[in-house]
Amino acid sequence: MLKSIRWRELACALVWGCATCVATWFVSLPTAAIIAAWGGFFGYLLGCWLSGTTLRLLPAVALSFSLWGLSQLLSGLISDNYALASLMGAENSFIASQWLCWGGQALASVFLLRFLSGRQSALITAEILSVTLLLASPLAAHRQGYISRPYFLVDPLWSRNLDPIPVLFGLGALAAGLLVILQNGRRTRRASWLDLGLLFLLISVLYAVLPNRQLLDFDIRDPLGIRGKKEKEKEAKAKEEAERKAKEAAKEGKGKGKEGGRSEAEDMELDKPQDKDQKQKQKPVAIVLLHDDYKPTFGYYYFRQTAFSQYNGKRLVEDTTGTTDRDLLRTYPTVGETLTIETSVPSQSPYHRDLGTTVAMIEGHTRPFALVDGRTATAAENPNPQQFVRAYECKSQVLNVEYKALFGLKSGDPNWDEKTWKHYTELPDDPRYQALAEKCQKDLPAQFKGSDFARALIVKLWMDKTVTYTMKASHEGVPDPVADYLFVNPRGYCVHQAHAAVYLWRSLGIPSRVGAGYATDARNRGNGSAVLLRSGEAHAWPEIYLDGAGWVTLDISPEKHEGGEIEEPDPNLQRLLGELARAKEKKPAAEEKAFRKINLQEVMRWLLLAGWKLFKWTFLFAFLGNYLYKFYRRFEPLWAGGQRLPVAALRSGQDQLAEVGVVRGYGEGRQAFARRTGLEALEGLTHWHLAAVLGGKTPNPKELLQLREQLHQQIARRYPAWRRLLGFINPLSWWSSR
């Protein structure tokens, strides 16, 4: 077996060993990763050996699955068998189990892939792609969108305000290019280097030409434009129709618009289960910088994006009258513009304090949000266009007292008209809501019976103890999903909790609504001033209106949970994004200008443009130079003399044969080549060439020129004119002449 393995295949096996080791290093024990590396190494060599034998495909696949299954069976046996675990020890048992698990997987999978690519050369691409993915796996943006990982690579780049994406691109290209180079054991060296050059050229063009945020939208369905005209016209019409519908949906606040998509909180449904993996939803949405130290009374930072207060017969929706909920930030401020928000909080409220924030959007949204309760919003310069969509500054009035300070406030605004009161107290015509709300009031101490805030608080406390939080609840197919949630199956998520609380409060005559946006635990902020908002923190919460304090958040916090816990944000990612958001504040103008000079994407564009200009002239000169040299070789016998004439005459004839595809093989002698062609004139020219070069015989110019003309006529009779014409206009045909 080892004698049939070449050194290039050993190099490929080492690459596979490194790839499997890297891929398993961060998900298993270090020793198990080393065993996986050996598994990948020997699996590749086994695939090389068996692909050159008479082994059929089906037995090879069966062997691979048998190796895989046997390793997993033994791994499970060692880890689950009490007797073996006791004999070996718990720690040794676990280590051995991991060795068998990862080593067997690597051995079986690499063997099968190498066997298939050895039998079918087209599958070499799958091998290249597999190694690239394995080597790039620890460098990818990890779950929750942690672009700060891996720390050993990304931290030094972020600290110098350098985008790690080009480096990750380069490492991925290097991994793929390395395997392409090593594939020359199966193909010619020229083809291997050509593949490598094309690979890096493609990646360079994509990186330089495509904007960073449009890479995922790159359409390669018809890169050469070879589809039919009717099909393209049909797609163009479909695209126009889709754009028209998108614009209409954006006007209605649905779908995706210019600024991006709606938030998850806006799209939550009462009658449909969410059933989403929270760990996969933690994509960074925005980074918020607090201009002053502030810890919220209720333990969470609430960023209100919209509100649902109008009852439409089934649920609460956004106000359609335009007369209520005027305290929302509905549009992004433009450059030089300051938007004033009609906050419900009095300007000199003793319950609030002013707090400024800077919001840097990582993902686009159709509607902005502000820390409750927002007063103004001003456009800000984007601190880092490579990472942020836009930025704006907000000034808010945040609650700065304990809840007990609100017990003496009345609900509602005495200046409201009857229509506004009805708007904020309307609910389904179901007496069970009021009955349940009144039942909760029985637990309220006598001294708080007259406090609207206390009456609302006792309902919240009852819900905290009674309902269960879950993302998988379904209240579909019922007339009132909230009633089904409260009185039949008290299992749901934030949108159910918020609606239920609002209905119960409204049944008591307390004006209330559902706020929606993002809510994040204040403890996640740590000791810094940056607050990271993630997609999984989209939230809906209930609010009540208190005279003198405005809309106050009174969120439900169920004690019983069925999954759905949100992982804490990566503090390093939060810190790094905060530093990027402060870049404009910290970086002097001269330093910012100098930093722009070393923009990697601009440098790549300049290099590609300069290379293209140089390539155009180089190609032109090379094209003309090849033609001139080709014609020089063809007609050199007309003026060559002495010992040079036999060489020129033979070379001229061989060039003409090369034009029709007849060339001397590797290691084939000149006389053998002449005999193989069956051309008598070529044999004569070869004889004169050898006699002049080796024997020093004086050539006969007349005889040589006659032989050259005879060879020309013999080629013309044997090969068709179209074939000779194509060869004549080919400037590179003389390259294959030897």
Side-chain angles (χ1 to χ4, degrees):
M1 173 182 174
L2 293 177
K3 292 182 179 179
S4 63
I5 302 297
R6 294 174 294 180
W7 70 267
R8 293 187 182 91
E9 291 169 340
L10 285 173
C12 290
L14 287 174
V15 172
W16 267 109
C18 293
T20 51
C21 181
V22 168
T24 55
W25 188 270
F26 296 98
V27 295
S28 182
L29 301 173
T31 54
I34 295 174
I35 296 298
W38 282 110
F41 180 83
F42 287 113
Y44 188 88
L45 296 182
L46 182 62
C48 289
W49 175 52
L50 291 180
S51 64
T53 64
T54 58
L55 182 67
R56 304 296 295 271
L57 176 61
L58 189 59
V61 174
L63 175 61
S64 174
F65 279 94
S66 299
L67 289 173
W68 182 295
L70 180 62
S71 65
Q72 305 312 301
L73 178 65
L74 293 176
S75 173
L77 181 65
I78 292 177
S79 61
D80 299 337
N81 188 282
Y82 179 77
L84 285 177
S86 301
L87 180 64
M88 299 174 60
E91 183 178 355
N92 293 333
S93 175
F94 176 73
I95 293 175
S97 173
Q98 291 291 295
W99 285 7
L100 287 168
C101 176
W102 294 106
Q105 289 185 30
L107 177 66
S109 55
V110 174
F111 153 68
L112 181 59
L113 187 59
R114 175 60 186 92
F115 180 85
L116 294 175
S117 66
R119 290 292 177 88
Q120 180 53 257
S121 59
L123 293 177
I124 295 175
T125 304
E127 189 176 332
I128 295 173
L129 180 61
S130 300
V131 170
T132 303
L133 292 176
L134 290 176
L135 290 174
S137 58
L139 304 177
H142 281 240
R143 54 200 175 109
Q144 300 192 25
Y146 286 167
I147 58 176
S148 61
R149 295 181 179 176
Y151 300 130
F152 71 88
L153 173 66
V154 178
D155 271 0
L157 297 174
W158 280 125
S159 63
R160 293 171 174 79
N161 276 332
L162 294 177
D163 191 347
I165 297 300
V167 179
L168 299 180
F169 262 116
L171 290 175
L174 181 62
L178 180 60
L179 194 62
V180 171
I181 295 174
L182 297 176
Q183 294 309 312
N184 61 10
R186 284 182 252 178
R187 293 182 289 177
T188 65
R189 183 179 298 275
R190 178 181 297 177
S192 178
W193 280 103
L194 179 61
D195 288 342
L196 178 64
L198 291 176
L199 175 68
F200 277 102
L201 180 61
L202 175 61
I203 292 176
S204 300
V205 170
L206 287 177
Y207 174 67
V209 176
L210 297 180
N212 288 344
R213 295 187 177 273
Q214 294 184 13
L215 285 175
L216 295 179
D217 299 328
F218 182 48
D219 188 358
I220 58 172
R221 292 175 295 178
D222 187 28
L224 301 179
I226 58 177
R227 289 181 295 177
K229 182 178 180 181
K230 291 184 178 180
E231 186 178 352
K232 291 185 178 181
E233 290 177 352
K234 184 178 179 180
E235 287 193 1
K237 291 181 180 179
K239 184 178 179 181
E240 291 178 1
E241 180 66 16
E243 291 177 352
R244 182 185 65 79
K245 291 182 179 180
K247 290 180 181 179
E248 293 177 356
K251 291 180 181 179
E252 298 175 3
K254 301 176 181 179
K256 291 188 177 182
K258 181 179 179 181
E259 303 300 338
R262 289 159 57 89
S263 71
E264 287 81 353
E266 293 178 276
D267 292 329
M268 290 178 180
E269 296 289 343
L270 278 167
D271 53 355
K272 294 180 182 179
Q274 294 298 295
D275 195 16
K276 295 178 180 177
D277 187 350
Q278 290 289 331
K279 294 182 180 180
Q280 295 180 2
K281 286 182 57 183
Q282 303 309 309
K283 182 171 59 175
V285 171
I287 189 75
V288 181
L289 301 179
L290 305 181
H291 296 178
D292 196 1
D293 186 37
Y294 170 66
K295 293 184 178 180
T297 301
F298 21 76
Y300 276 77
Y301 294 105
Y302 289 90
F303 296 87
R304 188 189 293 129
Q305 188 177 28
T306 187
F308 307 117
S309 61
Q310 181 176 326
Y311 180 67
N312 69 351
K314 183 178 181 180
R315 63 164 292 174
L316 297 175
V317 297
E318 294 177 318
D319 173 51
T320 60
T321 66
T323 59
T324 59
D325 298 337
R326 303 178 67 88
D327 59 330
L328 302 175
L329 181 58
R330 300 184 183 275
T331 61
Y332 288 95
T334 58
V335 178
E337 178 186 22
T338 297
L339 298 177
T340 301
I341 306 171
E342 297 183 22
T343 177
S344 60
V345 179
S347 58
Q348 300 298 326
S349 170
Y351 310 105
H352 296 77
R353 55 164 288 197
D354 293 338
L355 179 66
T357 58
T358 297
V359 181
M361 301 293 297
I362 300 172
E363 293 290 333
H365 279 53
T366 55
R367 183 180 295 179
F369 46 79
L371 181 65
V372 294
D373 286 275
R375 289 195 300 112
T376 63
T378 306
E381 185 179 1
N382 193 334
N384 193 314
Q386 297 293 329
Q387 296 300 328
F388 303 119
V389 176
R390 67 190 310 156
Y392 57 94
E393 295 182 356
C394 287
K395 291 183 179 180
S396 301
Q397 290 176 290
V398 294
L399 196 65
N400 197 39
V401 296
E402 298 292 336
Y403 274 146
K404 61 183 180 181
L406 305 176
F407 283 173
L409 301 181
K410 292 292 183 180
S411 62
D413 189 333
N415 297 321
W416 283 351
D417 55 21
E418 183 179 350
K419 185 177 180 180
T420 304
W421 273 96
K422 181 181 179 182
H423 179 91
Y424 287 122
T425 55
E426 190 174 8
L427 73 156
D429 187 15
D430 187 337
R432 291 181 294 177
Y433 288 110
Q434 185 171 1
L436 178 58
E438 294 293 348
K439 179 182 177 182
C440 295
Q441 302 303 308
K442 295 180 180 180
D443 296 329
L444 188 65
Q447 65 268 30
F448 296 115
K449 293 288 185 180
S451 170
D452 289 343
F453 181 76
R455 294 169 65 207
L457 182 61
I458 199 66
V459 172
K460 165 199 156 43
L461 296 176
W462 178 87
M463 290 189 64
D464 288 348
K465 292 182 176 296
T466 305
V467 300
T468 300
Y469 181 90
T470 177
M471 295 294 289
K472 300 181 180 181
S474 174
H475 299 281
E476 191 173 0
V478 296
D480 185 357
V482 180
D484 187 68
Y485 165 71
L486 263 182
F487 307 119
V488 180
N489 180 22
R491 298 172 64 255
Y493 55 100
C494 60
V495 68
H496 301 107
Q497 300 163 10
H499 271 74
V502 169
Y503 286 174
L504 293 175
W505 293 337
R506 288 189 175 191
S507 69
L508 298 174
I510 300 175
S512 49
R513 70 180 186 183
V514 174
Y518 292 90
T520 183
D521 195 327
R523 292 173 297 183
N524 293 339
R525 176 189 142 198
N527 297 323
S529 61
V531 177
L532 177 63
L533 301 183
R534 301 167 293 165
S535 56
E537 293 171 326
H539 188 52
W541 60 87
E543 301 175 342
I544 63 173
Y545 192 96
L546 298 177
D547 185 25
W551 290 107
V552 176
T553 300
L554 195 58
D555 206 355
I556 309 301
S557 304
E559 297 178 359
K560 292 177 286 185
H561 279 249
E562 292 181 2
E565 292 82 2
I566 298 178
E567 292 186 355
E568 296 181 1
D570 184 349
N572 293 287
L573 174 62
Q574 185 169 262
R575 174 181 56 81
L576 292 170
L577 288 174
E579 291 297 320
L580 289 176
R582 297 186 189 93
K584 293 294 180 183
E585 305 172 9
K586 299 176 62 177
K587 193 178 298 181
E591 184 181 345
E592 176 68 19
K593 184 177 180 181
F595 177 67
R596 289 197 189 102
K597 291 181 180 179
I598 59 170
N599 184 287
L600 295 179
Q601 199 170 38
E602 292 178 2
V603 171
M604 184 62 72
R605 290 195 190 105
W606 182 87
L607 289 175
L608 286 174
L609 183 60
W612 170 245
K613 291 180 179 179
L614 180 63
F615 172 77
K616 288 192 298 184
W617 290 106
T618 303
F619 178 80
L620 178 61
F621 286 124
F623 184 80
L624 295 176
N626 272 281
Y627 264 126
L628 291 175
Y629 189 59
K630 174 179 178 174
F631 294 144
Y632 171 80
R633 289 165 60 107
R634 172 68 65 85
F635 302 108
E636 186 184 4
L638 298 179
W639 61 79
Q643 298 295 327
R644 179 63 186 172
L645 180 57
V647 177
L650 178 62
R651 188 171 68 174
S652 176
Q654 288 181 336
D655 284 359
Q656 193 171 0
L657 283 171
E659 290 176 359
V660 294
V662 180
V663 296
R664 187 159 60 96
Y666 183 79
E668 185 178 18
R670 298 185 185 277
Q671 290 179 316
F673 172 62
R675 287 192 296 269
R676 178 167 63 85
T677 61
L679 299 171
E680 296 179 359
L682 181 62
E683 291 187 40
L685 289 174
T686 303
H687 170 75
W688 272 108
H689 169 75
L690 295 175
V693 173
L694 302 178
K697 185 177 179 180
T698 303
N700 185 337
K702 184 177 180 180
E703 185 178 352
L704 280 171
L705 293 177
Q706 287 177 350
L707 288 172
R708 176 65 190 88
E709 182 62 25
Q710 291 175 12
L711 178 60
H712 175 73
Q713 294 173 1
Q714 291 172 1
I715 293 174
R717 288 194 298 267
R718 179 178 292 188
Y719 299 99
W722 65 266
R723 187 170 177 180
R724 289 183 280 115
L725 177 61
L726 290 178
F728 181 76
I729 62 177
N730 179 9
L732 304 179
S733 61
W734 62 271
W735 282 28
S736 56
S737 175
R738 289 192 290 270

